[in-house]
Amino acid sequence: MDSLRFITSESVDNGKSTLIGRLLYDSHSVLKDQLSSMITEKNENQIDLSLLTDGLRAEREQGITIDVAYKYFSTSKRKFIIADTPGHFQYTRNMVTGDSHADLSIILIDARYGVVEQIQRHSLILGLLNIPKIILAVNKMDLINYDYQIYKEIIRKYKITAHRVGLKHIEKIPISAKNGDNVVDKFSNMEWYKEASLLSLLEKIEFQQKPHLELSIFPVQYIIRSKAPNKDHLRGYAGKIISGIYRKGDDIIVYPTSFHTRIKYMEMVEKKIQKAFSPQSIIMYLEDEIDISRGDILVKKYDDQPKGSQNFYAVLCWMENSRLRRKSRYLFQIQSFQISIFIIDIIYRINVNTFQKERNPDDVGLNDLVKVRIKTSKPIPFDSYKKIKDNGASILIDEISYATVATCMIE
């Protein structure tokens, strides 16, 4: 079976934790000891489904989701990994963390309030992160008496938002997470809805897991020296193949030093292999002893070498309480490669309410989404985020505290 990694996106108190709890509970994916912890204090016969995901004490006390929680379950048709991300504005950085590796997002809208500001904010983030599939779930239909006209109007308004942020592949479903309507099973409360339940939709929805096989990109993450008595005393280079296919005997160029060598052999799970391709994680052994460090890239000689530049544009989600200003200096990390950079210019800030671009802001605050121009101390290899996500996603790090201050999507 394949695995679908999806996230849940919402505004405050739209019922996201309850929805995930309902999915797990009705699909019989909850252990007995978990069930006992979900009994509410007021009524021993009532189960609080949100407690399955809200694991922090502060979350339970306040009734809100703060951190990203991951849950796992499976059916006879597919395995699932759920990232439960916060709905509050101040936790936008947590949203970006949870969203960054998703195949699909469930956008949860409260039927009483429709498309509010935070739904627009999260939709904008999903568009920037290039999430390929969206399920628009209108929740709490029981609180509007399962009114089809209200549901239809919410769908109409959200289509405008989706178009403006570039979300294209959208499925739509009315649900009641609290009562279980259309979550795992269909109920008769919405006879006007003829399509599949949410779980059935998750089971059958198609998504692409197409590897990048064009250019060869193998960033070195770790150096391994073999010390076993019956093995060659070679240095191995461990990492994940971002793009391309590598074979034993291939001519290799080390970037940025431009040293040439060949692949002697490769290993995966302690077995020698003849061929490896994206997105496999391997150990590569080379014929020559070359000075190769963490962050270097091994490319095939006859492929186009990585395009390096000292100047480029990127979209940032600022994740720090301190302000970002022009001429600020940070560490820039892409894959395992780190380098010092300057923020040369702040081109614009995106207004999440209007989606307008506010040109030349003086500075940037927590959770702001901005486009900046970056200059590095020397040329670095990269691809655009939309072309090869793994080679276009990066972070900014404070040079003093070494805290991550921004996520970065290279254009």
Side-chain angles (χ1 to χ4, degrees), residues 318-320 330-331 395-406:
W318 192 249
M319 305 171 71
E320 182 60 39
Y330 298 96
L331 291 176
I395 57 174
L396 297 187
I397 301 170
D398 186 278
E399 289 187 313
I400 298 175
S401 67
Y402 217 69
T404 299
V405 296

Side-chain angles (χ1 to χ4, degrees), residues 14 22 36 99 110 117 124 139 156 173 181 246 389:
N14 281 11
R22 175 64 66 186
S36 62
D99 294 354
D110 190 322
E117 176 186 328
L124 176 61
N139 190 27
R156 185 191 69 80
I173 182 171
D181 296 292
Y246 291 82
K389 179 184 289 189

Side-chain angles (χ1 to χ4, degrees), residues 20-30 73-75 184 199:
I20 296 174
R22 175 64 66 186
L23 270 173
L24 297 173
Y25 182 72
D26 285 3
S27 63
H28 308 292
S29 302
V30 183
F73 77 105
S74 62
T75 67
V184 172
L199 181 59

Side-chain angles (χ1 to χ4, degrees), residues 220-226 234-238 283 291-296:
V220 176
Q221 295 181 12
Y222 194 70
I223 313 297
I224 297 175
R225 185 163 183 84
S226 171
L234 293 176
R235 290 199 304 169
Y237 306 100
I283 302 174
D291 183 13
I292 297 175
S293 303
R294 173 181 166 86
D296 289 349

Side-chain angles (χ1 to χ4, degrees), residues 22 68 72 135 173 175 225 232 250 317 320 324 374 381:
R22 175 64 66 186
V68 181
Y72 307 84
I135 295 178
I173 182 171
I175 64 170
R225 185 163 183 84
D232 296 331
D250 279 346
C317 175
E320 182 60 39
L324 166 66
I374 292 174

Side-chain angles (χ1 to χ4, degrees), residues 7 30-31 48 64 87 93 133 180 186 213 218 263-264 308 338 340 359 381 396:
I7 57 173
V30 183
L31 301 176
D48 186 350
I64 63 173
R93 52 189 173 184
K133 298 283 185 178
K186 293 190 65 177
L213 300 177
F218 179 67
I263 298 176
K264 186 170 186 177
Q338 271 190 12
S340 294
R359 300 283 175 177
L396 297 187

Side-chain angles (χ1 to χ4, degrees), residues 211-218 241-247 275-280 300 303 388:
H212 298 284
L213 300 177
E214 299 82 19
L215 303 179
S216 57
I217 304 172
F218 179 67
I241 300 174
I242 299 303
S243 178
I245 303 173
Y246 291 82
R247 296 177 176 85
K275 180 175 71 172
F277 52 87
S278 168
Q280 292 177 329
K300 287 164 62 173
D303 278 357
I388 302 180

